[in-house]
Amino acid sequence: MSAERPAILFDLDGTLLDTPGAIAGTLHRVLAETGHGDVPDERVRATVGRPLTAVFADLTGSPEDSAQVAEAVALFRELFRRTVVPEAAALVFPGIPELLRTLRRSGHRTAVVTSKILPSAMELLEPAALVDQFDAIICHGMAERGKPHPDLALLAAERLGTPAHLCTVVGDAVDDMRMAAGAGMRAIGVAYGVASARQLTASGAAQVVETVADLARGLGQEPPRPTAPAPRAAPVPLP
């Protein structure tokens, strides 16, 4: 049965949590430790939000199924778990918890749709106290193809019992916008994450917002009033 109100599908990194800086810093550390420390920062940051195997294959020039990529992915996850995950609660963008609660009270079904694998998504969402605000958590590997293909978004719609045309994707990356377009869904780009407003619009965003308050308005809600604005955790320093 379809939900009466549109379902909202949220990206995780750079949309719910302010993690892109920490991710880029951790990528630099792994590249330095595996002999690829000369990769430019601009190129590293452009990969944030993609699956890790694809990221390290791209940045190191190795096949995705190579031992080098597997080693880099394992090191990244170890470093991220040790240095970033403990700061998850402080990385939640102010206003996001209140917006999620408001959406649920208004009758919207919600989901996370992320390029992270499920354990990596949960290790951020659980300490951030956001898990209970979602009806589904859809991660890389749950569908045949990941972002920017539409498969993950369509799986989320199926899990929520909502037709694709009644779903809205909210994300900060070009791949989020392309995924939404391929799935026949409306897309709202948030320019406080990785991609610029111009990039988000060019990739299919129907609307681009600069703040969480503007996002709430774009979703037909009153802007949230954060009860306790979270301090921003410092990004992982570059090596």
Side-chain angles (χ1 to χ4, degrees):
M1 180 178 295
S2 302
E4 292 183 0
R5 291 179 178 271
I8 316 299
L9 316 184
F10 289 91
D11 175 51
L12 200 167
D13 293 307
T15 301
L16 300 174
L17 273 71
D18 189 13
T19 50
I23 291 171
T26 307
L27 289 172
H28 274 290
R29 291 181 62 178
V30 172
L31 290 168
E33 292 189 27
T34 56
H36 299 277
D38 58 345
V39 180
D41 183 58
E42 180 179 349
R43 188 176 167 203
V44 170
R45 290 180 182 275
T47 68
V48 172
R50 294 171 57 197
L52 286 174
T53 52
V55 167
F56 283 112
D58 179 16
L59 296 179
T60 66
S62 303
E64 287 194 22
D65 59 356
S66 66
Q68 294 90 336
V69 167
E71 175 189 357
V73 169
L75 180 56
F76 178 94
R77 288 179 176 151
E78 176 190 349
L79 289 171
F80 193 84
R81 187 173 298 115
R82 182 155 38 94
T83 61
V84 180
V85 168
E87 304 297 328
L91 290 170
V92 179
F93 284 110
I96 284 294
E98 294 78 13
L99 172 58
L100 293 174
R101 287 194 291 269
T102 298
L103 288 169
R104 298 290 293 282
R105 285 196 299 265
S106 300
H108 293 276
R109 305 208 78 195
T110 56
V112 170
V113 180
T114 176
S115 290
K116 278 180 158 46
I117 61 173
L118 182 59
S120 297
M122 295 301 290
E123 73 181 3
L124 286 175
L125 291 168
E126 287 178 338
L130 296 180
V131 174
D132 291 343
Q133 299 304 317
F134 296 101
D135 299 293
I137 297 174
I138 306 300
C139 300
H140 188 72
M142 291 184 176
E144 182 176 352
R145 300 175 299 177
K147 300 178 184 181
H149 300 287
D151 303 36
L152 291 174
L154 292 173
L155 176 59
E158 179 184 340
R159 294 277 180 89
L160 297 179
T162 305
H165 71 276
L166 289 180
C167 293
T168 295
V169 172
V170 178
D172 70 310
V174 165
D175 281 357
D176 297 314
M177 306 298 102
R178 291 176 176 165
M179 176 185 70
M185 299 177 180
R186 178 187 180 220
I188 297 180
V190 297
Y192 55 74
V194 172
S196 68
R198 179 186 60 78
Q199 291 170 323
L200 293 167
T201 300
S203 302
Q207 181 180 2
V208 175
V209 298
E210 299 286 343
T211 66
V212 174
D214 289 338
L215 173 59
R217 295 185 186 97
L219 294 173
Q221 307 298 315
E222 287 294 320
R225 297 179 180 178
T227 54
R232 296 288 180 85
V236 177
L238 301 184

